[in-house]
Amino acid sequence: MPDARTLVLSAPIILPVVPRGSVLEDHALVIEDDTIRAILPRDVALRQYPDAEQHHRDGHALIPGLVNAHTHSGMSLLRGVGSDQPLMDWLKRYIWPAEGKLLAPDFVQAGTRLAIAEMLRGGTTCFSDMYLFVADAARVIDASGIRAALGLTVFDFPTPWARTADEYFERGAEVVDAWGGHPRIRFTVAPHAPYTVGDASLRRVAARARELDVPIHMHVHETAGEIADAEQAGQPRPLARLAALGLLDQPFVAVHMTQVDEQDLNLLAGRPVSVAHCPESNLKLASGFCPVARLQAAGVNVALGTDGTASNNDLDMLGEMRTAALLAKGVSGDAAALPATRALEMATLDSARALGLDARIGSLEVGKQADVVAIDLRSLEMQPAHEPHAQIVYATTREAVTDVYVAGRPLLRDRELLTLDQSAILAESERWRTHVQNALPATTA
């Protein structure tokens, strides 16, 4: 066995997330291979580990890697397509027609590369994905060094990836067989939504998730129209239907949840269900407001996601934190509804918890994986920096992210990607722009 690589990574400020709201001044993380082995005052770390590699970021804060609890990475080549339309118009008139012509392994690989490059440059070290041609996304994830929870997507209608429910489950099984032992890839079982997946398939989803011991990941209660359509068809509210089918009795990530009444709260409370809040996508599609403060008060774990760039236009988790914190205050009428410390926790530990990864990532603690982000606090726009949590949540932009580590491996240094070719990604994205434009219906291009 080769000797372990030891790195002493230090900064004037470390925000470990655990304990909540804690600030460590002039400390260092001692990283051995992929794991945090010690957190010490910087001078002590340098004395105890004199032969270690040293990386000090003056004027920076170190935070846990951000965890994007819901996105569609392969859709990044559709960034902004069909903007300013409501959800179902956007899907039926723009997205699904374009995907019907474009979806293929090369499309997903190119989109996923672009998404990962953007996420790394914004401090995201792990993301939960829901898309098609999952093995092709896994190949890009493996090469890039990022961490991911890949959704084994299920529809009850054909797509270029699979034609029948049976084929979706078969494709998912093939992905697990090929990538199940990967140290940075986890899975979810990902039925798209209550209106695209029937009861028989949902029962199979529940069984498959139990078999794999992974969460279910599903769009739920995204719009008022989704609820109204179910009720007009004589069905219960979608969340109640999922509860009756047993899906909420096991780890479940309910994405969006903008429509929540008391019945829904009662169904969520006490169950192993997390809500993946995607505030900016919900705002852009006019889908509604997730009641974050009410959910948290009921004991529901609320994670944070961006959704895909087709509906959000970016994968900026720092921006999402700010929007989530401000929106929670406005919706609840309480300025303390989602303070900066909790917003950072949502984007890190709470999102990791939703994915079943909180024992490994989401906070800077001894024994956890070294997924770390360095943020430069020295710019004029950040001065004076009185309270680092507030500065990072309310004032920082993703351009302040300078360095990113996943499992102790540097993937971004001084804003330069180390495992991805930025120039090649830009050229590839420009080639696909023409293909996307040609695939759009003539009335929408």
Side-chain angles (χ1 to χ4, degrees):
M1 291 281 293
D3 292 338
R5 169 182 172 270
T6 302
L7 168 68
V8 174
L9 178 61
S10 58
I13 293 170
I14 298 179
L15 304 182
V17 169
V18 173
R20 178 176 293 169
S22 56
V23 179
L24 303 177
E25 296 186 357
D26 203 22
H27 270 59
L29 306 174
V30 180
I31 299 169
E32 188 176 287
D33 288 337
D34 60 357
T35 303
I36 300 171
R37 294 302 184 195
I39 303 176
L40 301 166
R42 184 186 177 215
D43 58 345
V44 175
L46 294 177
R47 283 199 307 271
Q48 290 189 6
Y49 298 89
D51 298 326
E53 178 184 348
Q54 299 176 19
H55 191 193
H56 179 69
R57 295 306 322 218
D58 193 31
H60 284 60
L62 302 181
I63 67 170
L66 302 172
V67 180
N68 187 342
H70 176 70
T71 192
H72 309 279
S73 64
M75 293 181 74
S76 290
L77 298 174
L78 300 175
R79 190 188 305 269
V81 165
S83 285
D84 308 319
Q85 302 295 321
L87 175 66
M88 295 314 298
D89 282 353
W90 173 74
L91 285 173
K92 291 178 179 179
R93 294 178 56 204
Y94 298 85
I95 300 303
W96 288 342
E99 287 178 325
K101 297 177 181 177
L102 296 169
L103 259 177
D106 56 349
F107 177 86
V108 170
Q109 288 183 30
T112 303
R113 257 191 301 274
L114 176 61
I116 291 172
E118 178 180 356
M119 285 191 279
L120 288 174
R121 283 168 53 85
T124 294
T125 57
C126 178
F127 66 102
S128 182
D129 208 34
M130 179 192 285
Y131 208 47
L132 305 170
F133 293 97
V134 182
D136 295 283
R139 293 184 184 97
V140 179
I141 290 161
D142 174 57
S144 72
I146 202 168
R147 195 183 302 277
L150 281 175
L152 308 174
T153 303
V154 177
F155 285 95
D156 269 350
F157 61 78
T159 66
W161 191 49
R163 293 168 295 179
T164 65
D166 285 345
E167 283 195 10
Y168 284 104
F169 286 99
E170 290 166 7
R171 298 290 88 77
E174 291 166 1
V175 173
V176 173
D177 287 346
W179 295 95
H182 197 284
R184 289 180 284 101
I185 295 176
R186 180 173 166 80
F187 302 102
T188 66
V189 183
H192 172 259
Y195 54 88
T196 54
V197 184
D199 286 3
S201 291
L202 289 174
R203 290 189 185 95
R204 292 180 67 182
V205 163
R208 184 62 169 146
R210 285 193 297 270
E211 177 189 345
L212 294 174
D213 190 25
V214 301
I216 299 167
H217 176 192
M218 186 179 193
H219 302 102
V220 183
H221 286 210
E222 185 171 0
T223 65
E226 176 188 333
I227 313 292
D229 289 347
E231 291 175 341
Q232 288 171 10
Q235 299 174 351
R237 288 170 70 88
L239 193 70
R241 174 179 156 223
L242 298 175
L245 291 168
L247 274 73
L248 306 188
D249 296 325
Q250 60 198 89
F252 187 100
V253 182
V255 182
H256 298 301
M257 287 299 295
T258 69
Q259 313 297 314
V260 180
D261 65 10
E262 289 304 312
Q263 173 191 346
D264 300 325
L265 274 178
N266 291 335
L267 286 173
L268 293 169
R271 282 188 159 97
V273 178
S274 296
V275 170
H277 178 33
C278 302
E280 293 186 3
S281 176
N282 293 340
L283 287 168
K284 184 166 179 267
L285 292 167
S287 296
F289 308 111
C290 177
V292 172
R294 289 172 60 211
L295 289 165
Q296 290 180 333
V300 178
N301 181 54
V302 183
L304 192 65
T306 60
D307 212 351
T309 59
S311 61
N312 183 333
N313 294 61
D314 65 39
L315 302 173
D316 181 1
M317 283 288 287
L318 284 168
E320 215 74 36
M321 270 198 295
R322 182 175 189 267
T323 301
L326 297 178
L327 191 61
K329 301 171 192 303
V331 168
S332 67
D334 177 6
L338 187 60
T341 54
R342 287 294 286 118
L344 180 61
E345 193 170 335
M346 276 179 61
T348 53
L349 188 58
D350 292 346
S351 288
R353 184 175 294 117
L355 305 180
L357 291 171
D358 52 307
R360 301 188 69 203
I361 63 170
S363 57
L364 301 178
E365 297 181 76
V366 173
K368 284 197 170 184
Q369 292 276 283
D371 292 9
V372 189
V373 171
I375 297 178
D376 193 341
L377 303 179
R378 294 174 297 181
S379 70
L380 178 146
E381 292 80 7
M382 296 284 287
Q383 303 307 312
H386 295 295
E387 207 293 307
H389 288 91
Q391 292 300 94
I392 287 171
V393 172
Y394 297 122
T396 302
T397 64
R398 57 184 169 173
E399 287 75 20
V401 172
T402 60
D403 299 77
V404 171
Y405 295 79
V406 174
R409 179 187 181 190
L411 304 185
L412 185 78
R413 177 166 291 156
D414 294 322
R415 294 207 51 76
E416 292 297 322
L417 293 163
L418 302 181
T419 59
L420 294 167
D421 185 333
Q422 182 171 327
S423 295
I425 291 171
L426 288 169
E428 183 176 50
S429 301
E430 178 58 24
R431 288 194 298 272
W432 276 103
R433 186 183 67 82
T434 301
H435 296 322
V436 170
Q437 289 293 308
N438 290 338
L440 293 173
T443 57
T444 63

